[in-house]
Amino acid sequence: MAITTPLLKLIAIFFILFSLFAPQAYSESDDCNSQSNDSCNDKEKALPLKIIAIATILITSMIGVCLPLFTKRFPALQPDRNLFVVIKAFAAGIILATGFMHVLPDSFDMLWSDCLKENPWHKFPFTGFVAMLSAIATLMVDSLATAIYGKKSKAGITPDQGDVAVEGDQEMAVVGAGHFHAHHHGVVVKEGAQETQLLRYRVVAMVLELGIVVHSVVIGLSLGASNNTCSIKGLIAALCFHQMFEGMGLGGCILQAEYKFLKKAIMVFFFSVTTPFGIALGIALSSTYKENSPSALITVGLLNASSAGLLIYMALVDLLSADFMGPKLQGSIKLQVKSYVAVLLGAGGMSLMAKWA
């Protein structure tokens, strides 16, 4: 099932458009473009820190997203075990807090900046509006992708189901044969349900990867373009924590999607390199970077709003709701309590990181 092909196309288009428009977004020249005269602003000292950031964030991103993929060697961490459910809930809490506590507030700050014109930016809550549209668009992609690929998979098993139906009409002829046909039909239904669940996992992994990639490039760009040595060190530590645990959430989804090795490698690669790519792009633009220019505020603010809507939807609907309303957690109050604690710990830890990043 080549479900990653649309994802790769979307990521490629995003990178191309962002690379084309980003220089324009940071080349305005007005009063809001002036750099801070703070003593912490030192471009020469900031560059080595950015190089360190690229290496450390790349390594921690790879560790985070790859950890769940190696759980087959550890029986206690396999997807059907309780520990995996708890860890996935923790990672989902991190993704939820990323949307609410990091991306959404940044977008509000940017689109309500005094450097933007009163009309229309201060007359209408664009951040909430774009985030809402993004969540609806994510729902549409989620639903349509599941329906389209679901029909394709059903088309592949329709002949077998047809054979079972025809044979089922003859069940009353021979009791033994009838028992066999009923059993065979049950096997087909069970396989169909498993195929549908696997399809959901693949759609979730694809859409979540897209949202994280957009967000990762934006936060990388902000770090790469900053020359504030006082804040970069703390920011690097916060982003390493952020990328590692966000990667664990994505890695768990990739594991459940049961992709082949090549598709897993491609998704791991894109997640791992997007923040370093954003940092490198920010470094390239740092000489002309004006974080308060109207174009920069609007471009990054709208991207953050769309990313926030996607991440919040994915965390609540496809990760948390899907698991908590599923048979495994519904069948165990004790496991539910553990998972709720994990969600709160993940969301709380990431919320605390909002102080630095």
Side-chain angles (χ1 to χ4, degrees):
M1 186 181 298
I3 199 168
T4 51
T5 303
L7 171 65
L8 297 179
K9 290 180 179 179
L10 287 172
I11 292 174
I13 291 171
F14 170 76
F15 277 153
I16 293 170
L17 291 176
F18 200 86
S19 299
L20 288 174
F21 291 110
Q24 298 176 18
Y26 300 102
S27 60
E28 299 287 335
S29 57
D30 54 34
D31 293 339
C32 283
N33 293 342
S34 58
Q35 292 278 19
S36 172
N37 293 322
D38 193 331
S39 59
C40 289
N41 280 315
D42 190 325
K43 187 175 180 179
E44 291 184 2
K45 291 183 179 179
L47 183 58
L49 294 175
K50 296 174 188 178
I51 302 300
I52 293 172
I54 290 176
T56 54
I57 292 175
L58 176 63
I59 292 171
T60 52
S61 296
M62 292 183 66
I63 292 173
V65 74
C66 288
L67 272 178
L69 303 181
F70 292 100
T71 55
K72 288 186 177 180
R73 299 183 180 180
F74 305 96
L77 294 175
Q78 291 182 1
D80 59 340
R81 300 300 179 91
N82 291 349
L83 183 58
F84 181 85
V85 174
V86 173
I87 293 174
K88 186 180 175 184
F90 176 78
I94 287 177
I95 294 173
L96 182 63
T98 298
F100 273 119
M101 298 300 296
H102 292 255
V103 191
L104 202 61
D106 285 349
S107 178
F108 273 113
D109 289 343
M110 291 175 179
L111 297 182
W112 281 91
S113 171
D114 291 335
C115 293
L116 296 182
K117 294 180 179 179
E118 182 75 15
N119 189 21
W121 301 104
H122 294 184
K123 300 290 187 181
F124 186 79
F126 281 97
T127 293
F129 181 68
V130 173
M132 177 186 68
L133 291 181
S134 176
I136 295 173
T138 306
L139 170 64
M140 292 172 61
V141 171
D142 204 2
S143 175
L144 290 173
T146 302
I148 291 171
Y149 287 102
K151 287 183 178 179
K152 289 183 179 179
S153 63
K154 285 180 181 178
I157 63 172
T158 297
D160 293 335
Q161 290 177 322
D163 292 342
V164 171
V166 171
E167 292 172 351
D169 293 336
Q170 303 171 2
E171 286 185 15
M172 296 304 293
V174 181
V175 175
H179 176 73
F180 170 77
H181 295 323
H183 174 70
H184 182 59
H185 181 70
V187 171
V188 172
V189 171
K190 184 176 181 180
E191 289 178 352
Q194 291 175 343
E195 179 72 17
T196 300
Q197 185 60 55
L198 179 61
L199 173 66
R200 287 293 305 131
Y201 286 144
R202 291 185 173 181
V203 172
V204 168
M206 176 187 70
V207 179
L208 182 60
E209 169 104 355
L210 179 61
I212 291 177
V213 162
V214 174
H215 166 59
S216 295
V217 173
V218 171
I219 60 175
L221 179 66
S222 300
L223 173 60
S226 173
N227 291 319
N228 191 319
T229 56
C230 298
S231 63
I232 286 179
K233 294 178 182 178
L235 193 58
I236 293 173
L239 288 180
C240 286
F241 175 89
H242 173 276
Q243 290 297 107
M244 175 175 286
F245 287 101
E246 194 172 56
M248 287 177 63
L250 177 62
C253 293
I254 295 174
L255 176 65
Q256 290 181 311
E258 297 182 10
Y259 285 122
K260 293 182 180 179
F261 175 79
L262 179 60
K263 292 180 180 179
K264 288 180 181 178
I266 292 173
M267 296 186 77
V268 167
F269 171 79
F270 273 107
F271 171 78
S272 301
V273 303
T274 45
T275 301
F277 169 81
I279 296 173
L281 182 61
I283 293 173
L285 299 173
S286 60
S287 59
T288 57
Y289 175 74
K290 303 295 183 295
E291 62 181 4
N292 289 325
S293 70
S295 294
L297 291 168
I298 294 170
T299 302
V300 179
L302 292 177
L303 282 173
N304 275 337
S306 61
S307 180
L310 190 154
L311 292 175
I312 291 169
Y313 170 90
M314 294 299 297
L316 288 175
V317 178
D318 284 333
L319 298 180
L320 293 175
S321 179
D323 283 346
F324 278 95
M325 300 307 293
K328 191 174 186 66
L329 282 174
Q330 286 295 308
S332 173
I333 299 297
K334 185 178 179 180
L335 183 58
Q336 276 197 51
V337 172
K338 290 180 180 178
S339 298
Y340 278 124
V341 171
V343 171
L344 292 173
L345 287 175
M350 185 54 65
S351 298
L352 185 62
M353 289 295 104
K355 182 178 180 181
W356 297 282

